[in-house]
Structures are given as structure tokens and as C-alpha cells.
Amino acid sequence: TFTESALNISNNTSEVRFEFDEPVTGLSNDILVAEGGVISNITQIDPRNYRATFVAGTGLESLAYVELSGSYRDIAGNAGASAKGYITVDTLRPELSVTPDRVPVAGTPILFTLHFSEPVAEFTVDEIDLVNGSAETLTNVDDETFTVEVTPDELGTVRLRVVPDAIRDMHGNFGSFYTASVMTAAIS
């Protein structure tokens, strides 16, 4: 049994507990198999209970597991049964691409589309910094896509920056720093 319900970038380690209905022998790291991370440090708590440490791999978004092979034995020498325990692992940072709808003309709004690589939580217009522009509304198209209308203040570069700690996926992983720039065209 994993002591954590899920693992992410900032919390990538879980204790794994093994409980048996009778005392066992022969439990070691060699009979444990991990997928999606590394299992180590198996320790006996008492003759029926053991614990180990699972560290999630990086760059994953999957279901990980630890499998106990049947190579251990009870006190009478009977072989133990195999068992698997599962945990959700998300150690991927959300990525972001920003696209303006056109080359802007000074004084007319630019519609930026912000598309994340995965669903994000609690993202608002307050987490967008603008240089030479203003925005009032962020529209949530779906869990991964947002639009924001930016009105340039004057002729020149409009810079849209998403605050890194503002982007968080559904497992709590923060996104990276992101900046997009667009040069406004002269009014004709």
C-alpha cells in the first residue's frame, strides 16, 4: 500500500507498506519490481510488516506500480503470493503556447490564444502581466485553452507574460516561465 494517494514534482516520494497475515522471511529489494519509479530501502518493522521507499520517475504522467514477487516465504517455508500496488504519477510540467490572432494595429485589440499541454487549475487574468497593453477578461475555452483580448496602449511591442507559479496542472505541478511578444503595426 502506498501512503500517498498521488505523486507530482514537488512530492515525488511515497512510503510503501507491506502487511502480511503471518510472519514472513526473504523479503528484500531484489524481489520488488517498480514501474514508473524506483523502489528501495525495504525495512522490516516487525515479522508481519515491512516498508520501502518509492521515488517517482521524472517526466511521467502515468500509473506507476510496485510489484512484490512470490519469492518470499512464511515461517513454515510456504511460498508467498505476488501482489501489486498502484499510484498515479504526474511529474510533467504544463507547457504553454501563446498565439496572437493577427499582426495587430495600434489601438485595436489583439486576441491571444493560450493553449496548455494539459488541463490547468485556477488560471485567471490576474496571472498575466502585460507591457504596452491591457486586458480585462480571460475566457476559458476548455480546460487547456484560454483566450485573452489585449488592447495595445501605443505603437510598439506588446508583451504578454504568464507568471510561472500561476500555471498549475491538476496534480499541482507548476509551469515554466513564459513570455510572448508582438510588434504592433502603424495605424493606416
Side-chain angles (χ1 to χ4, degrees), residues 162-181:
V162 177
V163 180
D165 291 345
I167 305 168
R168 197 179 74 235
D169 70 14
M170 301 312 217
H171 290 104
N173 298 315
F174 288 104
S176 302
F177 175 81
Y178 189 84
T179 301
S181 298

Side-chain angles (χ1 to χ4, degrees), residues 50-68:
Y50 291 76
R51 68 174 161 230
T53 303
F54 178 82
V55 178
T58 58
L60 299 175
E61 193 170 38
S62 63
L63 195 60
Y65 68 82
V66 170
E67 181 176 13
L68 172 64

Side-chain angles (χ1 to χ4, degrees), residues 98-113 150-152 154-158 181-188:
V98 178
T99 311
D101 64 342
R102 60 189 164 73
V103 174
V105 175
T108 62
I110 309 161
L111 184 66
F112 284 93
T113 300
V150 177
T151 303
E154 58 188 41
L155 192 60
T157 302
V158 174
S181 298
V182 176
M183 181 65 84
T184 58
I187 298 173
S188 42

Side-chain angles (χ1 to χ4, degrees), residues 117-149:
S117 58
E118 59 185 299
V120 294
E122 302 174 19
F123 181 57
T124 69
V125 73
D126 297 330
E127 282 102 22
I128 297 174
D129 289 335
L130 292 165
V131 174
N132 191 26
S134 59
E136 294 186 18
T137 308
L138 181 71
T139 302
N140 186 344
V141 178
D142 58 40
D143 289 341
E144 298 175 4
T145 308
F146 297 80
T147 58
V148 62
E149 190 173 83

Side-chain angles (χ1 to χ4, degrees), residues 29-50:
N29 289 326
D30 297 337
I31 66 169
L32 299 175
V33 175
E35 179 68 35
V38 176
I39 187 83
S40 63
N41 303 327
I42 191 157
T43 307
Q44 183 177 11
I45 300 169
D46 62 44
R48 293 180 41 212
N49 294 285
Y50 291 76

Side-chain angles (χ1 to χ4, degrees), residues 20 22-27 31 47 50 69-81:
F20 301 93
E22 61 183 311
V24 297
T25 62
L27 219 60
I31 66 169
Y50 291 76
S69 74
S71 299
Y72 64 95
R73 302 203 171 275
D74 67 11
I75 299 300
N78 299 312

